[in-house]
Amino acid sequence: MRVGTAAVALLSGVWLVDDGLTTSQPPPPPAQAPPSPGGAAGSARPAPGVAALGPSDPVRLRIPSIAVDAAFTPLGLDPAGALATPPLGRRDLVGWYRDAPAPGADGTAVVVGHVDDRRGPGVLYRLGLLRPGLTLTVTRQDRRTAVFTVDAVRSYPKAAFPAAEVYAPAGRAELRVITCGGRYDRRTGYDSNTVVYAHLTAVS
């Protein structure tokens, strides 16, 4: 089941943190042009892609430019039909939507993680600092490493989250990394989501 065809109707945003920090705000992404059709997400000269890998569960996400080195946990949908999240007590984990393609396989893979909790910043607190051209890697159970190049970083209000755009299949191996962002309200949580668009550019 692809996120682009099945989960778009279910996911209007990613509600990752209900008890975040109140003394700071995660770094926002820069203002950019809207994503262009075909998955390039507004990048003028996207890095060339490579052939997709076969299915294999992800094991570890590494984003050296923002000091992320995190283990994966599989995620499904909660009883309300929304994407579940890593346990609130595990701000060091990232989760991947197990009913969508695995990172590196053909299609759009979805990875989420907490931005913070009452104890401090979470694993994806600095996600908004990523820029087009930077890379991230996913180590998989098949011992292959999928290298993704960032095409764009966006911020969307949760009340107007463009699910069809974010989760749409693109005809190649792509990745979306999502966390909370924007302003925090003690009653309602963060008001936005930060979304990284990336595509597969190397394997090892």
Side-chain angles (χ1 to χ4, degrees):
M1 177 172 67
R2 292 181 183 272
V3 171
T5 58
V8 164
L10 299 171
L11 306 179
S12 60
V14 179
W15 298 87
L16 290 169
V17 175
D18 293 323
D19 59 347
L21 297 169
T22 59
T23 58
S24 65
Q25 182 173 316
Q32 296 185 47
S36 61
S43 178
R45 292 185 178 179
V50 298
L53 297 169
S56 182
D57 290 356
V59 175
R60 200 149 199 98
L61 172 69
R62 293 182 174 89
I63 314 177
S65 58
I66 56 171
V68 169
D69 185 351
F72 276 95
T73 186
L75 302 174
L77 301 179
D78 66 19
L83 180 61
T85 68
L88 282 175
R90 295 298 307 273
R91 58 196 171 105
D92 58 323
L93 288 177
V94 291
W96 68 283
Y97 183 43
R98 63 188 176 215
D99 292 323
D106 185 47
T108 301
V110 178
V111 173
V112 300
H114 293 296
V115 68
D116 64 21
D117 65 15
R118 293 184 185 275
R119 295 175 297 164
V123 64
L124 295 182
Y125 184 82
R126 293 182 292 274
L127 191 67
L129 295 177
L130 289 183
R131 299 293 183 265
L134 294 175
T135 60
L136 55 93
T137 65
V138 176
T139 304
R140 304 168 7 129
Q141 282 189 352
D142 61 4
R143 299 187 179 181
R144 305 298 299 274
T145 297
V147 181
F148 295 87
T149 296
V150 175
D151 295 311
V153 187
R154 304 278 183 254
S155 179
Y156 300 113
K158 288 184 178 178
F161 188 82
E165 175 184 297
V166 173
Y167 302 124
R172 62 178 180 175
E174 297 214 355
L175 185 68
R176 307 290 182 261
V177 185
I178 308 174
T179 193
C180 288
R183 295 184 179 277
Y184 179 80
D185 182 280
R186 187 178 295 275
R187 297 170 302 165
T188 59
Y190 285 99
D191 66 3
S192 300
N193 283 129
T194 297
V195 181
V196 168
Y197 294 76
H199 71 283
L200 185 69
T201 50
V203 297
S204 62

